[in-house]
Amino acid sequence: MKCDGEIPEATLRRYPKYLAFARALAEQEWDYVTSADIARACDVTEMLIRKDMTFTGVTGRPHLGYPILGLIAALTEAIGWDRPRRLVIAGAGKVSETLADVFPFARYNVTPTLVVSEDPAFLGKEIHGMPVVSPEEFRRRQQEDPVSLAVLTTGGSRAQHVSDDLVEHGVKAIWNFTDTSLTVPSDVVVVDAAISSDLAVLSRCLTARSL
Amino acid sequence: MKCDGEIPEATLRRYPKYLAFARALAEQEWDYVTSADIARACDVTEMLIRKDMTFTGVTGRPHLGYPILGLIAALTEAIGWDRPRRLVIAGAGKVSETLADVFPFARYNVTPTLVVSEDPAFLGKEIHGMPVVSPEEFRRRQQEDPVSLAVLTTGGSRAQHVSDDLVEHGVKAIWNFTDTSLTVPSDVVVVDAAISSDLAVLSRCLTARSL
DNA sequence: TAGATTGTTAATCGATTAACAATC
DNA sequence: TAGATTGTTAATCGATTAACAATC
C-alpha cells in the first residue's frame, strides 16, 4: 500500500526526532523553541524544520518560535500517536522479547497485548506479561476484537507464511523485522526495519575511506 | 560526515535486498536472473534495478539477464562487504545481547569482537563469547589494534557520552540504536537505526485509514 | 533473423534549499 | 520601531521513471 496521507514520508520519518526533542524541552519547562534550535538538535537545516512543520498545522510566532506544548500535540497527532493502539507480536524469539522489553511503546501510545507463536514450546507461557498464544487462539481473539498492527519477528523462512496468516486474520499494518521481502494485499502496509541497509551504509562509508 | 562514495544512498540501501535475493537463487543453482525477476522479488520497478546496477559495474546480457555469481560479487563489493571488519558493541544490555545473538553479522563479513561497558556488574563476563571490557581496557586495545566500527546500544541518557568515548578512541563509524541524536566530528559517520520512524510510518498509515 | 533484454539518455517527479515577504 | 523569526513561493537538486537505442 502506498499510504497517501498528505505528509511526505521523508518528513514523517523526521517527526519522531523533533518530537523527542520537544518533549525533552517540555520537561525542562521551556515554553517556545525556534526552528534554528530544533535544526541544531536534530541535525537538519532550519528551513527544512519550517517546511516540515507546515504539514502539522502548528503555527509559530515570529520572535519566539513554536510553542512547545502545541508542537508536541501537533506532531503527535500528525504521526497518529494521539490515538491508542494495540499491537500483536508474531514470533516468540529473542527479538520479540527484547523489543517488548526495551522499546518504549508506551511513549507512542502503543500497547503490545499478545505474542503469537506456532512453537508449542512457548504456548501458555508469558513474555513480559503477555500471553503467548497459538494461531488458532489468535484467530479467535481477532474475530472478537481485532488488532490491526503487528510486529513480525520470526525467522526469515517462515516470514511469508506467518505474514499471510496475520493478514488473513485482519492485521492491516506489519512491522517486518525479518530479512524477507513480504508480499501482501494492497490494503496492507509493510514497513521493513531493514537494518542491513544501515550496515550497508556504514560499510560503504568505511570502505570509501579505506577503513 | 556526508559520505560521498559515488553510489546514491537510496540505491545503496536497496542493495542488501537484491543481494539476499541473488544469494537465494545461487543456492538453487540458477545462473542468470533478469531485472524483471529481481524487481518482482524486491518490490521495485525493473528500470530501477537496471539503474541501480549501473553503479556496481556488473554487466548483464540481453536475453539472459545478470550472471548471478557476478551480481553477488559486484553487490558485495559495492557495499563494502567484501572486506572483513571487526565490530565493537558499546553497552551490555538486552539490545547488545539480542543483536549479537540474532543478527547475521557473518553474512556481511563482520565479526563482533568486544563489548564495552561502564557497568562494573558486567565486567569480566562474556556475551556470546565476547569479553565485556571497561572503557580503559577498550582504550588499551584500540591503541594496539583499532576497530573502526561500533554499535551503540546504551540507554539514551548516556549515548552522547559513550559516543564521545568511542570517537576519542578511534571509532569512525557508529550504528546508533539509541533514541538520541549524536553529535560527532565530521570524519565520523553515524547511522541511526531510527526504529521509531518505522513506527511513525505505520501509525500514520493506519490513522489515514481510520484504523 | 527476430525478439528479449540490457544500458543510456531525456523527462518527470518529489524533496530540499534559497530568497524574501509577512508578522509580532 | 527595528529586528528576529516564521511562512510561502520559486529555484535547485537528486532520484525515479519513461523512451529508446544497443546487443546478443
Side-chain angles (χ1 to χ4, degrees), chain A residues 1 3-7 9 12-17 20 40-43 77-83 85 87 94-95 97-99 101-105 107-108 110 128 148-150 172-175 177 179 181-183 187-211, chain B residues 1 3-7 9 12-17 20 40-43 77-83 85 87 94-95 97-99 101-105 107-108 110 128 148-150 172-175 177 179 181-183 187-211:
Chain A
M1 187 175 79
C3 184
D4 281 321
E6 56 291 348
I7 305 175
E9 183 172 326
L12 184 57
R13 287 191 163 269
R14 285 186 291 266
Y15 281 171
K17 224 184 204 177
R40 205 170 312 114
C42 298
D43 198 28
E77 195 194 331
I79 298 172
W81 285 344
D82 53 331
R83 48 176 95 181
R85 271 176 216 299
L87 167 82
K94 274 218 154 183
V95 178
E97 206 191 309
T98 302
L99 210 54
D101 189 26
V102 309
F103 191 77
F105 286 108
R107 198 181 294 164
Y108 311 117
V110 170
H128 272 266
S148 37
L149 177 61
K172 295 297 180 193
I174 298 175
W175 193 5
F177 276 79
D179 53 7
S181 281
L182 302 177
T183 302
D187 67 331
V188 174
V189 211
V190 173
V191 172
D192 292 333
I195 74 174
S196 40
S197 294
D198 291 344
L199 188 58
V201 173
L202 290 164
S203 298
R204 170 83 204 162
C205 284
L206 286 174
T207 302
R209 308 176 55 241
S210 322
L211 284 169
Chain B
M1 187 175 77
C3 187
D4 281 318
E6 55 292 347
I7 305 175
E9 183 171 326
L12 184 56
R13 287 191 163 270
R14 286 186 290 265
Y15 282 171
K17 223 182 205 177
R40 204 170 313 112
C42 298
D43 198 27
E77 194 193 331
I79 298 172
W81 283 344
D82 53 330
R83 48 176 93 182
R85 272 177 216 299
L87 167 83
K94 273 218 155 179
V95 180
E97 207 192 309
T98 303
L99 210 53
D101 189 26
V102 309
F103 191 76
F105 285 108
R107 198 181 293 163
Y108 310 118
V110 170
H128 272 267
S148 38
L149 178 61
K172 295 296 182 194
I174 298 174
W175 193 4
F177 275 78
D179 54 7
S181 281
L182 302 176
T183 302
D187 67 331
V188 175
V189 213
V190 174
V191 172
D192 292 333
I195 74 174
S196 39
S197 293
D198 291 343
L199 187 58
V201 173
L202 290 164
S203 298
R204 170 83 205 161
C205 285
L206 286 174
T207 302
R209 306 178 56 242
S210 320
L211 285 169

Side-chain angles (χ1 to χ4, degrees), chain A residues 20 22 24 32 39 43 50 60-61 64 69 77 85 93 96 99 103-104 111 131 133-134 154 163 166 180 207 210:
Chain A
Y32 286 86
D43 198 28
R50 289 202 292 273
R61 285 179 50 186
L64 292 170
L69 295 181
E77 195 194 331
R85 271 176 216 299
S96 300
L99 210 54
F103 191 77
T111 309
V133 306
S134 67
T154 60
S163 163
L166 292 171
T180 301
T207 302
S210 322

Side-chain angles (χ1 to χ4, degrees), chain B residues 56-102:
Chain B
T56 67
V58 75
T59 152
R61 286 178 51 184
H63 246 113
L64 290 172
Y66 298 93
I68 290 183
L69 295 180
L71 191 59
I72 291 174
L75 286 168
T76 302
E77 194 193 331
I79 298 172
W81 283 344
D82 53 330
R83 48 176 93 182
R85 272 177 216 299
R86 285 171 303 155
L87 167 83
V88 161
I89 299 180
K94 273 218 155 179
V95 180
S96 300
E97 207 192 309
T98 303
L99 210 53
D101 189 26
V102 309

Side-chain angles (χ1 to χ4, degrees), chain B residues 2-197:
Chain B
K2 247 298 144 231
C3 187
D4 281 318
E6 55 292 347
I7 305 175
E9 183 171 326
T11 295
L12 184 56
R13 287 191 163 270
R14 286 186 290 265
Y15 282 171
K17 223 182 205 177
Y18 304 164
L19 182 56
F21 180 60
R23 281 172 166 166
L25 294 180
E27 266 177 30
Q28 296 169 258
E29 310 203 11
W30 289 43
D31 290 327
Y32 286 86
V33 60
T34 65
S35 52
D37 286 337
I38 305 173
R40 204 170 313 112
C42 298
D43 198 27
V44 297
T45 67
E46 58 178 289
M47 290 165 296
L48 191 53
I49 297 291
R50 290 203 292 274
K51 182 61 136 182
D52 283 347
M53 290 313 174
T54 61
F55 297 99
T56 67
V58 75
T59 152
R61 286 178 51 184
H63 246 113
L64 290 172
Y66 298 93
I68 290 183
L69 295 180
L71 191 59
I72 291 174
L75 286 168
T76 302
E77 194 193 331
I79 298 172
W81 283 344
D82 53 330
R83 48 176 93 182
R85 272 177 216 299
R86 285 171 303 155
L87 167 83
V88 161
I89 299 180
K94 273 218 155 179
V95 180
S96 300
E97 207 192 309
T98 303
L99 210 53
D101 189 26
V102 309
F103 191 76
F105 285 108
R107 198 181 293 163
Y108 310 118
N109 223 343
V110 170
T111 310
T113 55
L114 203 65
V115 176
V116 188
S117 175
E118 288 174 334
D119 185 341
F122 287 101
L123 298 186
K125 302 208 165 145
E126 289 204 341
I127 291 183
H128 272 267
M130 289 176 281
V132 180
V133 306
S134 67
E136 292 71 36
E137 171 67 9
F138 172 60
R139 173 199 296 260
R140 206 186 56 67
R141 293 187 187 220
Q142 284 295 93
Q143 279 164 355
E144 227 169 63
D145 187 10
V147 174
S148 38
L149 178 61
V151 181
L152 184 62
T153 69
T154 62
S157 59
R158 279 184 307 160
Q160 183 63 56
H161 163 70
V162 173
S163 162
D164 292 344
D165 215 52
L166 292 172
V167 168
E168 193 188 324
H169 298 120
V171 166
K172 295 296 182 194
I174 298 174
W175 193 4
N176 179 24
F177 275 78
T178 77
D179 54 7
T180 301
S181 281
L182 302 176
T183 302
V184 296
S186 61
D187 67 331
V188 175
V189 213
V190 174
V191 172
D192 292 333
I195 74 174
S196 39
S197 293

